[in-house]
Amino acid sequence: MTLEKGQYGYDLERLQKYYSTIELVAGASRVVLVPELQGRVMTSSTSGAKGFSFGWINHELLGTSQLSETFNPFGGEERFWIGPEGGQFSFYFEKGKPMEMQNWRVPEAIDTLPWDVIEASQETATFQKAFRLKNYSGTNFHIEATRRVSIIDPIEIEEYLPIKMDESVRVVAYESLNQLKNAGASDWIKETGMPSIWMLSMYQPSPEVTIVVPFKKEGEGLVVTDDYFGKVPSDRLKVDDGVIYFKADGKFRSKIGVSPERALPTLGSYDDKNKCLTILICSLDSTSTDFVNSSWVEFQDEPFRGDAINAYNDGPLADGGQLGPFYELESSSSAAALKAGEVKMHFQQTYHFEGDEKSLNSIAEKLLGVSIRQIKSNLEHR
């Protein structure tokens, strides 16, 4: 079988060349995980080896021994990170250094360190790692992170979601249960900083991909934060009747966020070129509004007034280089106010549907509240 770039089997073969892999299988759907890369989901397929590969993978970095001290963008369509990224409680900047790209450092435990495999089968795999982090303010954290990923059988999709799928629609789906444990002797409190579970999903960008983020129209405060890396131009971001549309072409570095007061647990994207609809559903914490603030400033007046939902479109950096290109759908837990020995959980489900526009339309309307036509028309595809 000759496999081409863009197909799941092509990516799987190259991952297996450099890493141990765990493949989850249900019918024709596939999900591949790599323990050496924190048990992240690297990619998935609705149709075995020849199917479209949903995750963005940086083939140039696979197996490299020349690791960057800053960040190694291996890719992967679901990875475990820890917030916040910026502010006085950041885990990504050293105290005294300006919060600029050249000083940004992703902790090894969530970038390059292998995680231990606790269990692995054809349906489920569990990974774990104990590590220590110091935040920008100098507080030390002793953390134990656990992550369990399970594939969802396509024949059970309608038990998970309030949809009726046409028989022609192909789907791959999985869920992850992610846990932070305070493995130290000191409680995690607001005064010295509290981490959060931060899930990021890297996908293939295209001028024909639009990110769709429904929000609470009756919620309080700002609808969307759109100035993480400078204001997002109006031809790339639109807000219309309870839904945010964000361009995901991988050509303009930009990020948006939705506060817990406005956020809903469901977001997604539509790829008009490949006729695929991605849906992400997370366990949005309704009991707390304390979400870490990841804005890149040395001191934040409100370090726990951050976003629950984010989306990122990659693009060229100031020096002309680029991490990707890719785009990301992101979700976060609330801040982990944990006493010694306590745990914090964050749950996420990912669904990729492939089919004709008519078949996908009913799914989009049910889960995102908008039609495929509305998604396509709100941001011009060119």
Side-chain angles (χ1 to χ4, degrees):
M1 185 192 312
T2 304
L3 296 165
E4 299 176 356
K5 194 166 186 181
Q7 290 182 308
Y8 172 84
Y10 178 96
D11 285 342
L12 179 62
E13 283 183 358
R14 277 144 189 82
L15 289 168
Q16 289 175 332
K17 184 177 178 181
Y18 300 107
Y19 307 106
S20 58
T21 59
I22 296 171
E23 194 175 27
L24 307 183
V25 178
S29 61
R30 303 283 187 275
V31 175
V32 61
L33 306 119
V34 173
E36 289 97 323
L37 298 176
Q38 305 84 52
R40 71 182 76 185
V41 175
M42 293 304 292
T43 191
S44 61
S45 165
T46 68
S47 314
K50 287 191 171 182
F52 179 72
S53 188
F54 287 100
W56 177 80
I57 295 175
N58 189 343
H59 286 276
E60 293 178 10
L61 269 191
L62 296 183
T64 184
S65 57
Q66 303 296 313
L67 293 173
S68 166
E69 292 182 358
T70 302
F71 170 48
N72 295 272
F74 295 106
E77 66 167 89
E78 191 195 71
R79 72 183 190 277
F80 184 108
W81 264 20
I82 289 175
E85 190 172 14
Q88 58 266 47
F89 302 132
S90 168
F91 291 106
Y92 298 77
F93 292 95
E94 285 184 40
K95 188 169 181 62
K97 292 190 176 179
M99 292 194 177
E100 299 169 354
M101 195 68 191
Q102 64 265 29
N103 298 322
W104 181 61
R105 301 283 184 274
V106 178
E108 288 182 338
I110 53 173
D111 186 34
T112 56
L113 285 187
W115 284 25
D116 302 322
V117 180
I118 304 302
E119 61 160 339
S121 69
Q122 191 169 279
E123 294 85 29
T124 301
T126 303
F127 309 89
Q128 194 171 75
K129 191 70 177 178
F131 51 92
R132 296 174 187 270
L133 295 179
K134 182 187 285 190
N135 70 10
Y136 187 84
S137 296
T139 306
N140 289 295
F141 292 80
H142 187 187
I143 293 169
E144 185 180 274
T146 306
R147 166 169 166 74
R148 188 182 77 213
V149 184
S150 305
I151 197 166
I152 299 171
D153 196 309
I155 63 175
E156 297 176 353
I157 296 292
E158 291 175 7
E159 295 175 23
Y160 283 77
L161 298 174
I163 60 170
K164 199 75 182 160
M165 271 194 331
D166 188 270
E167 288 183 4
S168 65
V169 173
R170 302 182 302 280
V171 62
V172 57
Y174 56 91
E175 57 188 8
S176 68
L177 181 61
N178 304 279
Q179 177 181 291
L180 274 184
K181 179 180 180 180
N182 180 351
S186 303
D187 297 349
W188 296 348
I189 57 174
K190 275 188 172 183
E191 289 72 21
T192 50
M194 302 184 292
S196 68
I197 300 168
W198 183 11
M199 305 306 300
L200 303 99
S201 304
M202 286 173 147
Y203 300 121
Q204 313 275 0
S206 156
E208 295 177 75
V209 175
T210 300
I211 293 167
V212 183
V213 186
F215 65 91
K216 293 178 188 171
K217 289 196 284 186
E218 71 283 2
E220 295 182 2
L222 192 68
V223 169
V224 58
T225 302
D226 64 352
D227 58 357
Y228 276 92
F229 303 119
K231 188 83 171 168
V232 183
S234 60
D235 63 338
R236 293 183 161 275
L237 178 66
K238 294 218 172 132
V239 179
D240 180 42
D241 196 28
V243 181
I244 300 160
Y245 301 93
F246 184 39
K247 200 170 185 67
D249 58 359
K251 294 180 178 179
F252 186 87
R253 187 167 184 255
S254 46
K255 181 175 177 175
I256 62 169
V258 182
S259 71
E261 291 86 357
R262 290 281 192 177
L264 291 167
T266 303
L267 64 156
S269 62
Y270 178 65
D271 181 343
D272 192 39
K273 179 183 176 183
N274 294 294
K275 298 292 183 272
C276 56
L277 177 69
T278 293
I279 300 290
L280 190 153
I281 301 172
C282 66
S283 55
L284 191 61
D285 187 353
S286 59
T287 64
S288 173
T289 54
D290 288 336
F291 282 71
V292 301
N293 186 342
S294 281
S295 295
W296 286 23
V297 291
E298 283 79 16
F299 184 85
Q300 300 165 348
D301 291 332
E302 296 182 302
F304 297 101
R305 295 290 293 165
D307 293 321
I309 297 294
N310 291 97
Y312 172 79
N313 181 45
D314 193 42
L317 300 166
D319 63 5
Q322 189 162 351
L323 297 173
F326 52 83
Y327 76 92
E328 290 179 319
L329 304 179
E330 309 174 11
S331 74
S332 293
S333 73
S334 57
L338 299 180
K339 292 182 168 59
E342 288 185 341
V343 298
K344 177 84 173 175
M345 304 250 193
H346 186 63
F347 183 74
Q348 189 164 279
Q349 293 177 337
T350 301
Y351 300 86
H352 298 299
F353 300 96
E354 288 182 299
D356 61 58
E357 195 170 305
K358 184 182 176 184
S359 300
L360 296 180
N361 190 65
S362 62
I363 300 172
E365 288 183 331
K366 193 73 178 176
L367 300 180
L368 297 174
V370 292
S371 67
I372 298 294
R373 182 184 57 78
Q374 285 173 285
I375 296 171
K376 289 164 62 174
S377 64
N378 263 281
L379 290 176
E380 184 183 351
H381 290 154
R382 52 190 166 92

